[in-house]
């Protein structure tokens, strides 16, 4: 198992899984070489995003992986942890405290941003350490959810969120 860490977020990656923690640049910020994506429009704040997948993650993958999920096989999963403004942590949408543990029955083909035949997804909002998050998971196969969800939960259990700024 290896660990990745940035912006007050750390993830233990299981063998065979890939991951990254990044924050898109805000308008006018200088980006380091290799930073994912274009800068945000003027006035838009950006917050950290975590991608973890059982398949290779392209450098230009969208925040919610819309261009990556087509590559998922039946035993694959793609996990996104996206942070929102700290003030959102007290809003009703983020009322759940702590990282969710997901059950196979939580997943639904209609739970995807863009439905792909045979796949299923789940999105949960929560707060932890004064920070607001969405966790979004895509399974490569709805019919294999009983076998894949335990691996997803192992990844989620290996995510650590430090209190404070996400800088």
């Amino acid at each position: 198992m290896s660990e990745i860490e940035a912006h007050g977020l750390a993830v233990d990656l299981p063998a065979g899984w890939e991951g990254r923690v990044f924050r898109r640049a805000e308008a006018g910020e200088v980006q380091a070489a290799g930073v994912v994506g274009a800068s945000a429009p003027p006035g838009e704040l950006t917050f950290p995003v975590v991608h973890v997948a059982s398949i290779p993650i392209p450098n230009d993958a969208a925040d919610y992986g819309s261009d990556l999920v087509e590559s998922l096989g039946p035993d694959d999963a793609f996990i996104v942890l996206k942070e929102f403004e700290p003030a959102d942590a007290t809003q009703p949408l983020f009322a759940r405290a702590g990282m969710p543990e997901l059950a196979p029955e939580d997943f639904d083909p209609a739970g995807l941003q863009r439905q792909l035949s045979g796949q299923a997804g789940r999105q949960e909002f929560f707060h932890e350490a004064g920070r607001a998050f969405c966790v979004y998971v895509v399974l490569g196969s709805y019919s294999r959810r009983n076998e894949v969800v335990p691996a997803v939960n192992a990844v989620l259990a290996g995510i650590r969120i430090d209190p404070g700024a996400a800088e």
Side-chain angles (χ1 to χ4, degrees):
M1 201 173 275
S2 62
E3 180 183 83
I4 56 174
E5 183 176 8
H7 307 291
L9 301 169
V11 183
D12 291 326
L13 296 175
W17 287 63
E18 265 191 30
R20 64 181 176 192
V21 181
F22 65 98
R23 186 183 66 79
R24 296 189 191 283
E26 294 177 4
E29 271 187 314
V30 176
Q31 286 191 139
V35 172
V36 178
S39 296
E44 184 176 314
L45 299 176
T46 63
F47 297 93
V49 177
V50 175
H51 285 167
V52 179
S54 57
I55 63 171
I57 302 171
N59 286 338
D60 61 350
D63 285 1
Y64 288 100
S66 59
D67 44 355
L68 168 134
V69 295
E70 293 175 358
S71 300
L72 294 174
D75 293 316
D76 291 321
F78 175 61
I79 302 166
V80 176
L81 179 68
K82 183 168 175 61
E83 185 164 1
F84 291 83
E85 292 194 44
D88 290 342
T90 61
Q91 297 302 308
L93 179 63
F94 299 93
R96 175 189 174 87
M99 180 70 68
E101 182 174 342
L102 303 173
E105 57 271 14
D106 292 337
F107 287 85
D108 188 318
L112 297 167
Q113 284 188 324
R114 179 173 50 102
Q115 290 189 8
L116 293 171
S117 181
Q119 292 188 352
R122 181 67 177 188
Q123 186 173 33
E124 295 276 345
F125 295 87
F126 68 98
H127 71 275
E128 184 171 322
R131 298 168 72 175
F133 295 94
C134 169
V135 64
Y136 176 65
V137 179
V138 178
L139 303 179
S141 172
Y142 178 69
S143 65
R144 301 272 307 145
R145 66 191 179 281
N146 289 322
E147 292 75 23
V148 178
V149 170
V152 167
N153 281 326
V155 171
L156 295 177
I159 295 175
R160 289 174 307 291
I161 298 171
D162 294 330
E167 313 217 355

